[in-house]
Amino acid sequence: MVQQAAEKRAVFTICSWNYLAYAATLAESFRRHNPDTPFFVFIADRPQPLQHVLGETKIIVVDGSVVPDYERMAACYSIMEFNTSVKPHCFEFLFDKHGFEQLCYIDPDIFVTASLSEIFRILAEGDDCVLTPHITAPLSDGLVPGDLEIARSGIFNLGFAAFRNSSSARAFLSWWRGWLETDCLVDFERGIFVDQSFCDFAPVFMERVHILRDPGYNLAYWNLLHRPVEDRDGKLFAGGSPVKFVHFSGVDKDRPEAFSKHQNRFTRETLGALRPLFEHYVETLRSKDMHGELRFSQVEYGFGRLNSGVPIIPAMRACFRRYYRDIPAGQSPFDVDRGFFTAACDRPRLRPLVNRLVAELYHLRPDLQDWFLLRAPEDRMELNRLAETILPEQYKLGEAWAVCDESNDEIPSQFFQSAVARLPTPLEINRLVKLFGFYVGDRLASLFRPRQKMDDLAWSLAYSFELLTPGFRKSLVESLEIDSNPSRLALFRHWMQERGFAAESWRGESAPRAASPQSKQDGLAVYGFLNAETGLGQAGRALATAFKTTQLPMSCHAVPAPGHENAVPFEASPSMKNSAGTALLAMNADNVMNLQHHMNPAVLAQNRRIGLFFWELPVFPGVWAGACEQVDEVWVSSRFVRDSLQSTTSKPVHIVPLPVPLNDLDAVQSRKALGLPLDRLLYLVTFDFNSFPERKNPMGALRAFLDAFPKATESSPLLVVKCHGARNRAAYEKELGEAIARNPHMMLIDRVMTAQEMLQLQAATDVYVSLHRAEGFGLNLAESMAAGKVAIGTNFSGNVDFMNAQNSLLVDFDMRPVRDGEYVAWQGQWWAAPRHDDAVSALRLVESSSALRGQLGEAARRHVASALSSESVGRTMADLIMAGPAGRA
């Protein structure tokens, strides 16, 4: 009788192939405590020869038998949206095709710790549905998520849901399915968060809904604050109730320090009694991710590309949603060609000239909406021009994807040149005629002119501004009532700034230049890639943190970094506008050269601009010299970079080193956390394949280490090689891999580490080795010195500002030419060739004397604490800012 009842119930999850490690971990934990209940995994992805990798767990690939219109939904939705959209279909499929009477859905990132029989008992007693609320008490501590974030996401967490095969439940599933087929989106403006928002209606749409408030169910980052976890004789309790399952939402097996990427309330260190289970879960995920030589996490999402191989970006999915009717019946959406996306859009504000893809890109990106008001054809043309840069750089699509196949380009291309002396075009002459006609006519007529006509004339003035004399400009501004009409004034300023003029140019200035910052308060606005996982992003964050120590006013403004996840947490203003007198552009010269592609330069019109530029060769590239013309002065991190820049610009160049906080992590605990041996002398080399590895010269360090310690023993020094990245890997991976495979006193860490893990690695190792050819600053060297470690580095370039004979070991060098492909702007440049024998001697010297290691490490730490502290760097920044423009001459 019990067996017969069990056969009428089942549990399932949904994922794509790249999440199969999570599903496998869930399935194993579920079967351990619920061996008699069938478990299914629905795969929302294209078929792969992996149907049997989970053993007795049955895998069902979502196709037309489960979701009749699955291809349309897969094209219209992101991977997360598609996975959540098919949920009611899967319930109905198992009810109808397998005859189950009770079904429970569980997210793949859940870990089951007990029997779930109580869920099925509740359904058997007559309830139509069982749901768990996100929270049962307010989240008002100011951390994320708070009450508003939970309200936006939905009252109930749909990582868990159970339904009985009743008429009331089936009616709700049918209604829910209808919405999810078209509107399963992350669209907070419409109040939609995928499948969850709709289930707020469940308690009123169904006759009997059981809201499960037991704190042992669906324990997760959003309710952990109210459910203290304790270990009672090896069993976990949450809020006094036995834990049934834990929802590890947002856990990254490769970056577990944050606990969940969706919150900032807990870290691995603060999980208390939950930490052992969390660490077991992470290790299980890592082991389940491997299937022979295959890593599930690296399996590409099948619906992430068109059948032609073109990657599908979010704007393309928006095109599918808006124009799906234009795909011929019977044709797969994944077979459409480029013409489907480059046809003229149907959005009135963007017609003509703008294609579907660019139009949807515009509507998905608030930064583009800030840049372009789209009041005139010229705005749309400028949007297209920007799209020709954005699509290749940020989305890996060619410039042709920005072309509108049905456009009629009536605007001369020369009209979009920056404001320079030139002959007026016929179109501009027409505008001038309109302006002159208005000016010499009856001024009183302006009282009766429609507002739109006056706005059009103001636009004509802005876009012909450089052709008029200063006096005539001023008279026209007065006639058009620009100063007395706030909305027209705002538009006129926008148009002027687009043309390269300061917003107040009509008040007497005749050339494009930044307005005086005197109207703004003292302080600093930092603009940069502040959420990017890059060295440039790290530099911007570090300088912002240093300036905070001065107590002067400061605001931070994060600019999205193309080609990066931009997932590093950092507090920044939601607005790009600032009230400071000075703006620091922590974006490097190449990005400042193309500032309009990253942000709206108009927000800086009244700022004194400072560029933060990095460079790693002796001569600054002439192709970037124009970046210096976009700023009032330049900050650099070392004398080496200053000398390079001063040969290119007459603008003031000041040295502001990067702040480096001291690292107080315990070496032994750090080695344990990273799985490093406790009884070996550890040398460390780090580099990034995505950069230019030849500059870091990691193979030079490996060769020096092998010659310094040719015989590997159980007690000989160990070289830890930390790297990551995909680009440029082919040229070095074979030699690197063979060297490490042949030598047991080398180990490889080939992955992206969290900031905390990098600090642990620097604390765990004894010696940092950098036989670089050039460094703009040498941050890794400085960070290892901040941990009290011995630094061995080439006696060349930026690192010699903080490395000397008293606090480190410097390797002598010869100079050699930079070769083709080794670095950008390599022509005619030279850099260091560290002397091999000198490096070998330094490596051996460190190994021979623990007293020397202690002496150098302590001296290094003292120097960093004195010269590179946040307080010291903050004072330098404040002094330069308070000196003002006069102090920079």
Side-chain angles (χ1 to χ4, degrees):
M1 189 71 174
V2 173
Q3 180 66 27
Q4 184 180 7
E7 289 175 353
K8 292 185 178 181
R9 66 192 190 199
V11 174
F12 70 95
T13 192
I14 305 169
C15 68
S16 299
W17 294 114
N18 66 341
Y19 229 60
L20 205 58
Y22 291 82
T25 302
L26 165 63
E28 183 178 84
S29 70
F30 175 80
R31 287 197 303 268
R32 184 180 301 119
H33 301 282
N34 303 269
D36 297 326
T37 303
F39 188 88
F40 296 83
V41 177
F42 285 87
I43 298 294
D45 208 332
R46 292 187 189 271
Q48 295 267 12
L50 299 171
Q51 261 86 338
H52 305 292
V53 296
L54 297 187
E56 61 188 87
T57 299
K58 183 173 178 57
I59 290 178
I60 302 174
V61 177
V62 172
D63 58 14
S65 65
V66 181
V67 182
D69 208 10
Y70 78 100
E71 274 204 316
R72 180 192 60 79
M73 293 166 63
C76 293
Y77 290 147
S78 69
I79 184 171
M80 182 185 77
E81 291 166 345
F82 184 50
N83 271 262
T84 51
S85 72
V86 301
K87 197 176 295 179
H89 293 84
C90 296
F91 272 107
E92 293 175 329
F93 178 84
L94 291 175
F95 278 142
D96 296 336
K97 300 297 176 66
H98 289 260
F100 293 113
E101 292 299 319
Q102 301 169 0
L103 290 173
C104 177
Y105 168 80
I106 305 179
D107 261 357
D109 51 8
I110 280 175
F111 192 85
V112 178
T113 57
S115 169
L116 301 186
S117 58
E118 182 181 0
I119 303 295
F120 297 107
R121 179 187 59 78
I122 293 171
L123 294 175
E125 290 176 353
D127 283 312
D128 299 307
C129 173
V130 183
L131 296 173
T132 54
H134 274 111
I135 54 177
T136 54
L139 288 172
S140 52
D141 56 1
L143 299 177
V144 177
D147 296 338
L148 290 180
E149 286 84 4
I150 295 297
R152 291 199 309 168
S153 299
I155 301 300
F156 304 104
N157 177 257
L158 265 293
F160 162 83
F163 285 90
R164 181 169 64 94
N165 191 13
S166 65
S167 58
S168 178
R170 293 302 296 266
F172 178 82
L173 286 171
S174 177
W175 171 84
W176 191 28
R177 166 173 45 80
W179 275 108
L180 299 194
E181 286 177 352
T182 56
D183 291 85
C184 188
L185 301 165
V186 179
D187 190 348
F188 291 122
E189 288 190 3
R190 294 174 60 205
I192 299 174
F193 182 67
V194 287
D195 60 328
Q196 287 188 166
S197 306
F198 298 98
C199 283
D200 288 352
F201 291 104
V204 292
F205 281 14
M206 283 182 280
E207 295 175 6
R208 294 182 58 175
V209 173
H210 186 99
I211 299 175
L212 188 59
R213 299 168 58 90
D214 187 322
Y217 286 89
N218 215 354
L219 180 67
Y221 69 79
W222 51 78
N223 56 38
L224 188 56
L225 180 66
H226 305 130
R227 303 180 181 187
V229 179
E230 54 183 330
D231 187 324
R232 299 181 185 175
D233 299 324
K235 292 186 178 181
L236 287 184
F237 284 72
S241 179
V243 174
K244 300 299 196 303
F245 62 83
V246 183
H247 196 161
F248 288 113
S249 174
V251 168
D252 184 340
K253 69 182 187 309
D254 298 320
R255 300 178 182 179
E257 289 298 329
F259 177 48
S260 169
K261 62 185 178 183
H262 303 314
Q263 56 87 48
N264 63 5
R265 190 172 277 108
F266 302 99
T267 66
R268 178 167 67 178
E269 303 297 327
T270 61
L271 287 179
L274 184 60
R275 180 172 176 175
L277 179 64
F278 171 69
E279 292 181 339
H280 169 72
Y281 179 74
V282 170
E283 288 305 314
T284 304
L285 283 181
R286 290 172 177 168
S287 65
K288 296 291 186 185
D289 193 38
M290 300 300 299
H291 181 68
E293 296 184 358
L294 173 70
R295 281 189 179 182
F296 292 128
S297 58
Q298 295 181 355
V299 176
E300 184 176 1
Y301 179 47
F303 296 120
R305 293 180 181 272
L306 299 176
N307 289 339
S308 61
V310 173
I312 300 176
I313 68 173
M316 295 167 75
R317 297 197 185 278
C319 287
F320 279 128
R321 293 195 293 272
R322 189 173 184 89
Y323 302 103
Y324 199 86
R325 63 184 182 277
D326 293 344
I327 299 176
Q331 179 182 342
S332 168
F334 296 96
D335 284 332
V336 300
D337 58 18
R338 189 176 66 207
F340 174 79
F341 302 99
T342 57
C345 73
D346 63 2
R347 293 183 180 271
R349 290 182 64 212
L350 290 161
R351 287 183 59 87
L353 308 178
V354 179
N355 72 30
R356 293 170 172 178
L357 182 64
V358 175
E360 298 311 309
L361 187 68
Y362 174 83
H363 279 273
L364 289 174
R365 291 186 49 163
D367 56 337
L368 296 183
Q369 295 166 33
D370 287 342
W371 295 343
F372 300 103
L373 296 182
L374 301 181
R375 294 181 58 87
E378 287 75 11
D379 291 338
R380 298 194 282 274
M381 291 291 290
E382 283 293 335
L383 174 62
N384 283 335
R385 288 179 182 274
L386 183 58
E388 289 175 1
T389 300
I390 288 177
L391 290 175
E393 287 185 359
Q394 300 182 21
Y395 299 104
K396 311 305 180 189
L397 297 173
E399 293 181 7
W401 290 79
V403 175
C404 183
D405 291 343
E406 300 173 27
S407 66
N408 179 19
D409 189 354
E410 298 175 348
I411 312 299
S413 60
Q414 63 265 32
F415 180 80
F416 299 100
Q417 297 172 359
S418 60
V420 294
R422 54 175 171 79
L423 293 175
T425 65
L427 191 61
E428 288 172 331
I429 292 174
N430 180 51
R431 294 195 186 101
L432 290 172
V433 169
K434 289 168 62 179
L435 285 168
F436 275 98
F438 172 77
Y439 181 69
V440 300
D442 184 2
R443 304 269 184 98
L444 293 177
S446 65
L447 298 174
F448 307 102
R449 289 181 182 271
R451 175 178 171 179
Q452 183 61 51
K453 186 66 174 177
M454 296 284 280
D455 286 350
D456 288 344
L457 287 164
W459 178 85
S460 295
L461 170 59
Y463 276 81
S464 302
F465 200 68
E466 68 268 29
L467 304 175
L468 305 174
T469 66
F472 193 62
R473 295 171 184 168
K474 202 167 185 180
S475 297
L476 276 169
V477 167
E478 293 172 356
S479 299
L480 292 168
E481 302 173 354
I482 288 174
D483 265 332
S484 59
N485 187 308
S487 62
R488 190 173 303 136
L489 176 62
L491 289 171
F492 188 71
R493 282 175 171 162
H494 171 78
W495 294 326
M496 290 293 291
Q497 288 158 5
E498 281 194 339
R499 294 290 283 156
F501 285 89
E504 309 297 319
S505 293
W506 66 87
R507 308 205 188 281
E509 298 178 5
S510 58
R513 59 183 298 272
S516 169
Q518 266 66 28
S519 61
K520 291 200 173 193
Q521 68 179 50
D522 292 330
L524 181 67
V526 180
Y527 290 84
F529 305 131
L530 301 180
N531 298 124
E533 59 285 4
T534 64
L536 197 55
Q538 184 178 1
R541 294 189 292 271
L543 289 180
T545 301
F547 194 76
K548 282 183 180 178
T549 66
T550 68
Q551 304 302 312
L552 290 174
M554 186 188 73
S555 60
C556 295
H557 309 269
V559 178
H564 294 275
E565 294 182 11
N566 295 285
V568 178
F570 191 78
E571 184 178 353
S573 170
S575 170
M576 295 301 284
K577 297 179 180 179
N578 73 83
S579 58
T582 302
L584 175 64
L585 302 178
M587 301 170 66
N588 223 349
D590 54 335
N591 295 306
V592 171
M593 283 273 291
N594 299 284
L595 191 62
Q596 71 277 13
H597 295 162
H598 300 283
M599 60 177 286
N600 182 3
V603 300
L604 308 173
Q606 297 186 40
N607 288 117
R608 163 190 166 198
R609 302 185 190 187
I610 298 175
L612 179 66
F613 294 171
F614 292 87
W615 182 241
E616 288 152 332
L617 294 179
V619 180
F620 195 75
V623 70
W624 291 349
C628 297
E629 302 308 311
Q630 305 295 320
V631 297
D632 297 296
E633 69 182 76
V634 180
W635 287 0
V636 297
S637 60
S638 67
R639 290 175 295 170
F640 177 76
V641 185
R642 180 198 62 190
D643 294 344
S644 173
L645 259 163
Q646 283 183 331
S647 64
T648 304
T649 181
S650 59
K651 296 287 179 72
V653 181
H654 296 290
I655 298 172
V656 179
L658 294 180
V660 181
L662 295 182
N663 182 343
D664 294 317
L665 294 178
D666 181 75
V668 173
Q669 294 302 318
S670 295
R671 290 192 179 198
K672 289 180 178 179
L674 297 174
L676 297 174
L678 302 180
D679 56 352
R680 304 278 288 276
L681 185 69
L682 300 184
Y683 291 72
L684 175 63
V685 171
T686 64
F687 68 99
D688 180 359
F689 281 116
N690 287 333
S691 184
F692 291 87
E694 190 59 35
R695 182 181 66 81
K696 290 287 191 182
N697 190 26
M699 298 311 301
L702 264 69
R703 297 181 194 112
F705 182 84
L706 290 174
D707 284 351
F709 311 107
K711 294 183 179 180
T713 67
E714 292 183 357
S715 60
S716 62
L718 179 72
L719 179 65
V720 180
V721 181
K722 161 66 181 73
C723 61
H724 69 275
R727 198 169 66 235
N728 302 314
R729 180 178 284 268
Y732 299 89
E733 189 172 33
K734 182 179 179 182
E735 183 180 2
L736 175 65
E738 290 177 352
I740 291 176
R742 288 195 309 265
N743 297 282
H745 56 331
M746 289 184 178
M747 70 175 294
L748 179 67
I749 301 176
D750 186 2
R751 65 180 178 89
V752 175
M753 281 183 149
T754 64
Q756 179 67 15
E757 287 176 319
M758 281 303 300
L759 290 174
Q760 288 177 325
L761 185 60
Q762 289 159 349
T765 49
D766 302 289
V767 186
Y768 186 82
V769 184
S770 176
L771 300 186
H772 56 266
R773 303 194 184 282
E775 283 283 7
F777 179 69
L779 184 59
N780 284 314
L781 283 161
E783 287 179 334
S784 291
M785 293 170 68
K789 309 301 177 179
V790 178
I792 298 176
T794 310
N795 191 16
F796 176 73
S797 61
N799 59 297
V800 299
D801 279 15
F802 55 84
M803 293 178 70
N804 55 54
Q806 286 71 48
N807 63 28
S808 52
L809 292 176
L810 291 164
V811 175
D812 209 352
F813 64 96
D814 301 301
M815 294 295 287
R816 78 153 175 85
V818 183
R819 303 184 182 108
D820 186 4
E822 290 182 337
Y823 206 69
V824 294
W826 59 273
Q827 295 87 342
Q829 301 270 13
W830 289 68
W831 58 15
R835 292 178 180 172
H836 177 78
D837 291 345
D838 201 13
V840 171
S841 298
L843 292 167
R844 288 175 177 168
L845 179 62
V846 171
E847 190 268 342
S848 67
S849 173
S850 61
L852 177 64
R853 293 196 298 273
Q855 177 185 341
L856 290 175
E858 182 57 34
R861 183 178 169 90
R862 282 199 308 270
H863 183 78
V864 170
S866 172
L868 301 179
S869 69
S870 290
E871 291 76 13
S872 173
V873 175
R875 286 193 297 271
T876 300
M877 298 170 70
D879 289 345
L880 290 170
I881 289 171
M882 297 305 290
R888 308 193 315 270

